[in-house]
Amino acid sequence: MNKPKILIIYTGGTIGMIENQETGALEPFNFDHLIDNVPKVKMLDYDIQNIQFASPIDSSDMNPTHWAEIAHHVEANYEAFDGFVVLHGTDTMAYTASALSFMLENLHKPVIITGSQLPIGEVRTDGEENLITALQIAAAVNADGSPTVQEVAILFENYLWRGNRSTKMSADNFNAFKSNNYPSLAKIGLGIHFNPDALMKHEAMRPLQVRCNMDTSVMFLDLYPGITESTLRHQLNTPGVKGIVMMTFGAGNSPTEPWFINAVKEAVDGGKVILNVTQCVNGGVHAKRYVGSDRLASVGVISGYDITSEAAITKLMYLFGLGLSPEEVGEYLRKPLAGEMTIG
Ligand code: ASP
């Protein structure tokens, strides 16, 4: 049996940080230090190699250029490795996971993203366990030798989640991530228990296609009771913005007053793509349930069903990045591209 070959891509985040002696603040450090702190990794009988960002970053500084760098590393090493582990800060991990799920089309190998709440050098760190479990998941194979996980996923503490279904739920807990609208891909306890029903199944074996161009002419528009017409219009008319994720109430509702619907209609008629995503952490948009959501649908706002806000904004960047027209973007928003939403 050949040893599993795993590539670790280290981008930064708390997992690799150490305390600055002068300021007491946590700062990214380099990868050699990180592995030195996890001698147990050497107990895994794997062939592990690593690549790191030239300057590891706090994930609050992540942007589409970094996503492209990660995607290019996966592409360049795709044939040579069985799986990939991306070490990443938790703050924007769900955005990176969502973006990569779109950029890495026809992914048939595991891309497991993990990090930690406490630096790996600290006594009570969660980083050691997360790194080791992520490596084991990246190396896991089915009875026929195919990779168990064939998608971008987030491993954190006790669960493996689909990347584009995940949200950071806690700034404190070790179980920091959750998919509020999708089951876990695996539960981690004494063993790693995969959930075959939830894991991505590909209909055909197609070659990996990496598309890294992301168009950032997008924004969130968060509704709240008391929003005024001038604030709404100002946001809808933000210069250079082509796509808007509108964060709505409940099952996709908005104020039903004519000034609201008219402003939204004008924006859609003017070529803006607006995706309706609920502010609720659980459940999704049901365009026909209430007048508010029905009105939005009737003026051309697209239902995001149960998509997360992280997947919604990165999907918009990805689709506009392909150079598609607003109509074409709308068409692709209505269907799942990488298991990011359930229609219904
Ligand atoms: N600020 C850190 C980051 O996202 C937090 C973490 O890694 O948990 O990079």
Side-chain angles (χ1 to χ4, degrees):
M1 270 287 278
N2 289 337
K3 288 183 184 184
K5 278 196 80 179
I6 310 296
L7 180 67
I8 301 179
I9 303 168
Y10 171 52
T11 71
T14 298
I15 192 164
M17 291 187 186
I18 55 161
E19 200 177 293
N20 179 314
Q21 295 300 322
E22 278 165 31
T23 63
L26 290 173
E27 290 173 353
F29 205 66
N30 79 39
F31 191 81
D32 301 335
H33 155 88
L34 201 148
I35 280 294
D36 286 348
N37 276 288
V38 200
K40 279 188 201 152
V41 165
K42 300 193 180 97
M43 290 166 70
L44 295 171
D45 197 16
Y46 298 170
D47 178 352
I48 300 173
Q49 294 182 31
N50 68 270
I51 297 180
Q52 71 168 342
F53 274 11
S55 310
I57 56 167
D58 185 299
S59 78
S60 311
D61 282 321
M62 269 289 155
N63 63 45
T65 311
H66 298 114
W67 298 337
E69 188 175 341
I70 301 169
H72 284 313
H73 285 316
V74 172
E75 183 177 31
N77 294 285
Y78 195 64
E79 293 311 323
F81 287 86
D82 299 308
F84 302 85
V85 170
V86 179
L87 298 180
H88 195 290
T90 56
D91 290 346
T92 63
M93 191 181 281
Y95 290 90
T96 298
S98 300
L100 290 176
S101 77
F102 301 123
M103 291 168 144
L104 301 171
E105 196 182 323
N106 303 328
L107 182 70
H108 287 271
K109 292 190 178 181
V111 173
I112 311 300
I113 310 182
T114 195
S116 65
Q117 295 279 48
L118 283 175
I120 210 149
E122 288 202 9
V123 186
R124 292 183 52 253
T125 187
D126 50 331
E128 180 173 74
E129 230 176 83
N130 285 348
L131 173 57
I132 289 174
T133 311
L135 287 165
Q136 289 180 315
I137 290 172
V141 288
N142 299 317
D144 65 357
S146 60
T148 307
V149 180
Q150 303 193 13
E151 59 185 295
V152 179
I154 289 183
L155 175 278
F156 225 85
E157 192 72 1
N158 296 120
Y159 296 94
L160 182 72
W161 305 107
R162 174 163 295 162
N164 57 30
R165 293 281 196 158
S166 308
T167 295
K168 182 174 180 181
M169 298 295 290
S170 172
D172 294 320
N173 290 342
F174 284 155
N175 265 313
F177 286 86
K178 198 171 174 204
S179 294
N180 290 299
N181 286 323
Y182 198 74
S184 58
L185 304 183
K187 284 202 176 109
I188 291 90
L190 290 183
I192 298 172
H193 304 285
F194 289 102
N195 178 359
D197 293 337
L199 286 163
M200 177 76 76
K201 285 173 246 347
H202 298 280
E203 275 153 29
M205 192 78 185
R206 295 204 181 87
L208 178 74
Q209 277 275 357
V210 180
R211 299 181 221 269
C212 292
N213 199 25
M214 298 295 257
D215 187 338
T216 51
S217 323
V218 299
M219 63 179 262
F220 284 114
L221 196 170
D222 220 344
L223 298 189
Y224 51 91
I227 190 168
T228 63
E229 180 170 4
S230 70
T231 303
L232 177 71
R233 285 190 179 273
H234 193 74
Q235 294 194 55
L236 289 171
N237 295 319
T238 305
V241 165
K242 301 179 191 167
I244 298 173
V245 176
M246 188 186 278
M247 300 301 297
T248 56
F249 310 127
N253 299 310
S254 71
T256 54
E257 289 168 78
W259 62 262
F260 187 95
I261 299 297
N262 289 343
V264 173
K265 183 175 182 326
E266 278 169 38
V268 174
D269 292 348
K272 295 249 160 52
V273 175
I274 306 184
L275 185 62
N276 186 353
V277 176
T278 177
Q279 291 173 358
C280 295
V281 291
N282 178 240
V285 171
H286 296 279
K288 296 273 168 239
R289 194 178 291 171
Y290 297 97
V291 178
S293 49
D294 203 28
R295 293 243 166 99
L296 287 180
S298 70
V299 297
V301 173
I302 297 160
S303 172
Y305 298 99
D306 62 352
I307 198 168
T308 62
S309 56
E310 294 91 336
I313 198 92
T314 52
K315 189 173 177 180
L316 269 180
M317 287 187 204
Y318 171 75
L319 292 174
F320 278 115
L322 296 178
L324 303 175
S325 67
E327 294 72 29
E328 290 167 324
V329 169
E331 235 170 81
Y332 284 108
L333 285 175
R334 290 187 176 88
K335 43 191 172 204
L337 301 181
E340 72 278 13
M341 65 185 189
T342 306
I343 294 183

